[in-house]
Amino acid sequence: AMHLSLKGSPLTDRKVSVPSCCVSFATATELSPVYTHVVENTDSPIWGFHQQARLSKELLLDPHQTLVFKVWHKGDEERVVGFASVDLSPLLSGFQFICGWYNITDFSGECQGQIKVAISPMESLMHLKEERQARRGIDTPGALIPLFSALSFPASAGCDAFPRPIARHVEGQLA
């Protein structure tokens, strides 16, 4: 991550200027969310986190559902820095994986940086494409899909556009 911000946080009033952060996300099989380890006292944490997890197929079939990553500050007080929402539906359009930068948005809608996430399914999802087409507008109970999510969390404080050095870094990783 780069330039994670505690801007607008009550913690900045208490002289906590540098975050100690981790990231969490919910799975279909665990009662509590999966967490990365905490990287302490830096606004540029590097997690190098990889996780195999089962996610609800509703994340692919329901156009109103997304996979949500929560970025946390874990210090004397725990608080959510913000959320990043990842639409998994491109996986049903033939994409082999999803890899990109997503805004980290706080409760007031302010951007607190970006997060890079890469997700790839462990098995073919084409049968779900047919199911999505067959049930448009029909709500049915969800089942499980196995997904491998290779996650890293570089972030930038800019919200409108990536700074040029970061954009070159992303282009180099995706090439």
Side-chain angles (χ1 to χ4, degrees):
M2 293 174 42
H3 309 296
L4 285 181
S5 175
L6 294 176
K7 171 182 68 174
S9 165
L11 296 170
T12 55
D13 297 337
R14 295 188 197 112
K15 306 288 186 243
V16 177
S17 60
V18 182
S20 294
C21 289
C22 67
V23 178
S24 71
F25 65 97
T27 69
T29 56
E30 301 293 325
L31 294 176
S32 57
V34 172
Y35 282 83
T36 67
H37 63 282
V38 176
V39 177
E40 296 186 11
N41 302 319
T42 179
D43 61 356
S44 300
I46 299 172
W47 289 277
F49 182 78
H50 299 274
Q51 178 73 38
Q52 290 186 11
R54 286 196 175 272
L55 303 175
S56 169
K57 74 177 184 179
E58 293 305 308
L59 293 171
L60 292 166
L61 299 175
D62 184 343
H64 303 291
Q65 290 194 30
T66 59
L67 180 57
V68 176
F69 293 90
K70 293 181 187 176
V71 179
W72 296 86
H73 167 73
K74 300 257 187 172
D76 292 338
E77 294 184 32
E78 180 178 297
R79 95 174 251 293
V80 174
V81 174
F83 306 88
S85 180
V86 179
D87 177 10
L88 300 181
S89 66
L91 294 172
L92 292 182
S93 300
F95 283 71
Q96 299 291 319
F97 60 92
I98 294 173
C99 181
W101 293 73
Y102 297 85
N103 285 335
I104 300 168
T105 307
D106 66 16
F107 289 113
S108 64
E110 295 292 317
C111 182
Q112 298 299 326
Q114 284 78 36
I115 187 169
K116 184 178 180 189
V117 178
I119 301 169
S120 58
M122 295 174 59
E123 63 185 38
S124 173
L125 303 176
M126 286 303 104
H127 64 286
L128 293 175
K129 181 177 181 179
E130 295 168 4
E131 183 177 337
R132 182 178 66 173
Q133 291 171 341
R135 73 173 205 174
R136 292 202 186 247
I138 300 170
D139 195 19
T140 58
L144 303 178
I145 54 170
L147 288 182
F148 174 76
S149 53
L151 310 174
S152 60
F153 302 99
S156 168
C159 295
D160 297 327
F162 294 110
R164 193 66 214 142
I166 293 174
R168 281 194 301 273
H169 176 72
V170 172
E171 292 164 2
Q173 285 188 341
L174 296 177

